[in-house]
Amino acid sequence: SGESGAGKTESTKLLLQHIMNLCKGNSQLEQQILQVNPLLEAFGNAQTVMNDNSSRFGKYIQLRFQKNTVRGAKLSEYLLEKSRVVQQDTGERNFHIFYYMFAGLSLKEKEMYGLLDPSLYRYISGRFGTQDVAQRWKNKYQEVCNALDMVGFQEQEQVDMQAILAGVLSLGNVTFEPEESSGSVKVSEASRGWLKAAAVNVLSQFLCFVPCSPWSPSVSCCCSLCADSRDSIAKVAYGRVFGWIVCKINELLAENVDPEVELREIGILDIFGFENFAVNRFEQLCINLANEQLQHFFNHHIFQLEQAAYKEEELPWETITFNNNEPILNLLLARPLGLLSLLDEQSAFPQATDKTFVDKLNSSFKGNLHFQPGRGRVLSFTIIHYAGKVQYTAGGFLEKNRDTLPASIRGLFINSVTPLLSVLFTGKSLCCDRASHMNQGHLGRSQHSLMVLMERMYSSNPHFVRCIKPNSQKEPGVVDNQVVLQQLRYNGLLETIRIRRDGFSWRPSFEEFAER
């Protein structure tokens, strides 16, 4: 754990290499496991203001062993930031894979996928920069192709996958205009070519079939609803491709052993770090909630269990106090009046808006020490997290939490001529059971999968790797004492040092002790 850019993903890669090296098996499986990371980074990481290779999802890697030999691996992913596909803030980029494709595909391949100059695409932000950068991306594209081959993806699957990604980019350039005669909305003449390039021509009738809202029945409102519909298709398509990659990896890395054989397991959790940007949205709340839970797990393990053991052994011990973040978790997760429950409740009302949601928060959490109502013109609210105060812009919260796709569009994808697209939307391919908690919003579903993960962690024997960011400028070899001290404080590491120094950090068994 650690904040964004502190080195969690790099540490995870080193740890994996180290474990594979200790196995000394040098098997194909070990090499495949090491190839999984470049693949996931290409599709799940992006440049942010805080980090040039920021994980925009959480991952849990389970390695399964029999007699010190790795026999299989399983990957779970959490909370992919799909909104990045359609919108990036200043100084940020879309997922790496789009840039790698532009740099790495040959002219002939670009023609095949209908890809033009990257500067033409609305979903691609950031200049392409120097020749060096383009060369680096070209090499990265080659790495991704090698990883896809190594892990075991078929050639046709790889072609289909890139066709879908190219289609997503083209879809982003489709715009809408009023239909003069009928007063309805149509795809603008200027963007008909993009619609064709998106390889799903039938989409036009679905994109434009958005009933106008009775509260604001203007044509401009319908144009904006159509644009929302277009963006939600792009996000869902990308999210499905990512989920499919993870499922495919799991199929290929599953252990091939007798079910009777008992396997030991090492799990590595590499989750997105705490974030506080100039503008914080729904995604930052999801990320910071996950970090809040991890911090609580750390506190429980290091302070509560540890000191309880000393008391049980009747050791002379002066209790070390720590910053307990339970009140913040209650504010976010309590039922029926926690922030999450209120968000799901509001998401279920068609008439509810981001404003009614914020009004509800303001009235429910009046006087709560960890909540502050927004000030100024922008609709917002502030939460005082364990790692500091974060102001969240509330615009888009309900829409992102609903995270729905019209059934008509789902049917269109199922009947797609691109075999992979059809597979992605039949549901059988996605190795997750969404039906059991369909009445929850996006954040609720994510929370459910995180809770399952936390239960697994509470029953294991954890080791904590705390990553500390040396400076906020992404500079190598520079240590900013204030930045470091602030992290040591809010992470509870100063108290941890006390408990390690005054307590009993090494505990041999009686057998070990006697033998020594």
Side-chain angles (χ1 to χ4, degrees):
S1 58
E3 62 180 61
S4 182
K8 297 177 297 299
T9 298
E10 293 306 310
S11 299
T12 300
K13 288 193 281 200
L14 287 169
L15 190 53
L16 268 177
Q17 283 172 20
H18 182 59
I19 292 171
M20 291 303 131
N21 198 34
L22 289 174
C23 289
K24 291 191 173 67
N26 227 344
S27 67
Q28 188 191 358
L29 177 64
E30 287 163 27
Q31 292 311 308
Q32 285 175 312
I33 290 169
L34 292 176
Q35 285 295 330
V36 163
N37 259 316
L39 197 54
L40 290 175
E41 278 185 31
F43 288 87
N45 287 28
Q47 179 181 316
T48 68
V49 179
M50 293 172 83
N51 181 358
D52 290 348
N53 184 30
S54 178
S55 302
R56 308 314 300 164
F57 70 108
K59 66 173 177 284
Y60 183 58
I61 305 166
Q62 291 161 270
L63 303 171
R64 298 197 172 124
F65 298 88
Q66 183 187 8
K67 295 196 177 84
N68 295 338
T69 305
V70 69
R71 298 306 297 266
K74 183 175 185 234
L75 195 73
S76 306
E77 51 96 3
Y78 303 92
L79 282 169
L80 177 73
E81 186 189 46
K82 293 182 296 198
S83 60
R84 181 166 294 270
V85 175
V86 302
Q87 177 197 11
Q88 307 96 40
D89 288 329
T90 312
E92 308 229 329
R93 292 190 189 273
N94 208 323
F95 290 105
H96 293 326
I97 187 64
F98 292 114
Y99 304 91
Y100 296 172
M101 280 172 67
F102 279 114
L105 288 169
S106 67
L107 282 172
K108 195 178 172 194
E109 287 168 324
K110 282 182 189 162
E111 211 170 282
M112 177 174 89
Y113 295 125
L115 283 175
L116 304 174
D117 188 274
S119 61
L120 298 171
Y121 293 92
R122 203 176 63 85
Y123 286 167
I124 294 277
S125 69
R127 294 197 316 272
F128 261 57
T130 60
Q131 206 52 45
D132 290 357
V133 172
Q135 189 53 50
R136 195 169 77 240
W137 284 342
K138 193 173 182 173
N139 297 343
K140 286 284 189 187
Y141 179 75
Q142 208 39 62
E143 264 181 47
V144 171
C145 293
N146 294 344
L148 285 165
D149 290 338
M150 178 87 187
V151 178
F153 286 78
Q154 304 296 317
E155 194 177 334
Q156 190 55 49
E157 290 175 328
Q158 296 183 36
V159 169
D160 283 359
M161 181 168 66
Q162 297 191 80
I164 294 170
L165 297 181
V168 162
L169 291 180
S170 298
L171 186 61
N173 284 10
V174 174
T175 54
F176 305 91
E177 62 189 16
E179 172 77 87
E180 296 298 327
S181 53
S182 63
S184 62
V185 176
K186 64 174 185 175
V187 170
S188 66
E189 287 304 322
S191 67
R192 290 235 158 242
W194 291 114
L195 187 65
K196 201 169 178 200
V200 272
N201 216 344
V202 214
L203 264 182
S204 62
Q205 68 197 63
F206 290 99
L207 285 172
C208 295
F209 184 67
V210 178
C212 274
S213 148
W215 295 281
S216 55
S218 68
V219 170
S220 63
C221 137
C222 286
C223 282
S224 137
L225 284 169
C226 291
D228 288 348
S229 182
R230 169 202 64 207
D231 287 350
S232 82
I233 291 170
K235 288 188 290 192
V236 169
Y238 191 86
R240 293 290 171 107
V241 167
F242 189 76
W244 170 76
I245 289 171
V246 170
C247 286
K248 196 86 183 138
I249 286 170
N250 284 338
E251 278 173 29
L252 297 161
L253 300 185
E255 59 272 6
N256 185 13
V257 291
D258 189 324
E260 302 298 302
V261 175
E262 195 189 344
L263 297 175
R264 311 294 294 273
E265 184 174 300
I266 295 176
I268 305 171
L269 178 67
D270 168 23
I271 211 155
F272 23 56
F274 188 86
E275 290 183 341
N276 189 357
F277 295 131
V279 178
N280 299 290
R281 298 192 169 88
F282 177 80
E283 293 75 19
Q284 276 64 51
L285 181 66
C286 296
I287 285 170
N288 293 344
L289 169 57
N291 279 278
E292 203 74 67
Q293 285 175 291
L294 270 185
Q295 180 65 19
H296 184 262
F297 176 60
F298 175 80
N299 287 343
H300 170 79
H301 214 88
I302 297 292
F303 299 115
Q304 288 165 315
L305 294 185
E306 187 97 348
Q307 298 191 86
Y310 298 167
K311 286 199 175 86
E312 201 181 310
E313 297 266 346
E314 296 181 9
L315 297 167
W317 182 256
E318 194 181 313
T319 303
I320 290 176
T321 55
F322 60 95
N323 279 341
N324 189 348
N325 65 336
E326 212 156 295
I328 309 169
L329 282 177
N330 287 338
L331 166 82
L332 295 165
L333 299 175
R335 292 187 175 187
L337 288 175
L339 186 144
L340 225 72
S341 297
L342 294 174
L343 178 60
D344 278 347
E345 176 195 280
Q346 289 286 297
S347 301
F349 294 135
Q351 290 94 330
T353 62
D354 294 319
K355 186 179 182 321
T356 62
F357 167 58
V358 170
D359 291 344
K360 192 93 176 166
L361 294 186
N362 292 341
S363 61
S364 301
F365 301 135
K366 199 175 181 181
N368 189 306
L369 295 175
H370 297 282
F371 180 88
Q372 291 174 357
R375 290 188 180 86
R377 286 186 183 166
V378 178
L379 195 60
S380 66
F381 60 91
T382 295
I383 290 176
I384 294 139
H385 286 281
Y386 78 99
K389 189 191 280 193
V390 180
Q391 183 180 29
Y392 295 99
T393 301
F397 258 64
L398 293 192
E399 186 223 334
K400 286 173 181 174
N401 191 50
R402 285 177 183 136
D403 196 30
T404 50
L405 187 70
S408 52
I409 290 177
R410 194 166 166 265
L412 176 72
F413 281 132
I414 289 171
N415 299 319
S416 166
V417 291
T418 306
L420 178 58
L421 203 51
S422 173
V423 168
L424 293 183
F425 283 85
T426 50
K428 293 189 193 78
S429 70
L430 295 173
C431 329
C432 55
D433 168 28
R434 292 176 66 124
S436 58
H437 33 92
M438 279 311 270
N439 58 336
Q440 293 173 311
H442 173 72
L443 191 45
R445 290 197 300 272
S446 310
Q447 189 51 35
H448 175 84
S449 55
L450 268 173
M451 289 308 277
V452 172
L453 172 68
M454 295 311 288
E455 277 168 27
R456 189 183 284 152
M457 285 174 68
Y458 274 101
S459 64
S460 68
N461 175 22
H463 296 260
F464 298 96
V465 180
R466 307 295 265 177
C467 300
I468 301 292
K469 193 173 183 171
N471 64 73
S472 302
Q473 284 70 49
K474 307 187 198 175
E475 286 294 327
V478 177
V479 174
D480 180 331
N481 286 341
Q482 279 314 106
V483 169
V484 170
L485 188 60
Q486 187 190 1
Q487 292 168 81
L488 295 177
R489 282 208 174 106
Y490 76 63
N491 275 329
L493 286 178
L494 299 179
E495 292 86 351
T496 307
I497 289 163
R498 266 191 68 195
I499 208 167
R500 286 282 175 261
R501 189 188 58 198
D502 299 349
F504 302 85
S505 53
W506 187 61
R507 302 181 200 165
S509 65
F510 291 119
E511 289 83 352
E512 274 179 278
F513 178 72
E515 208 165 288
R516 280 178 76 104

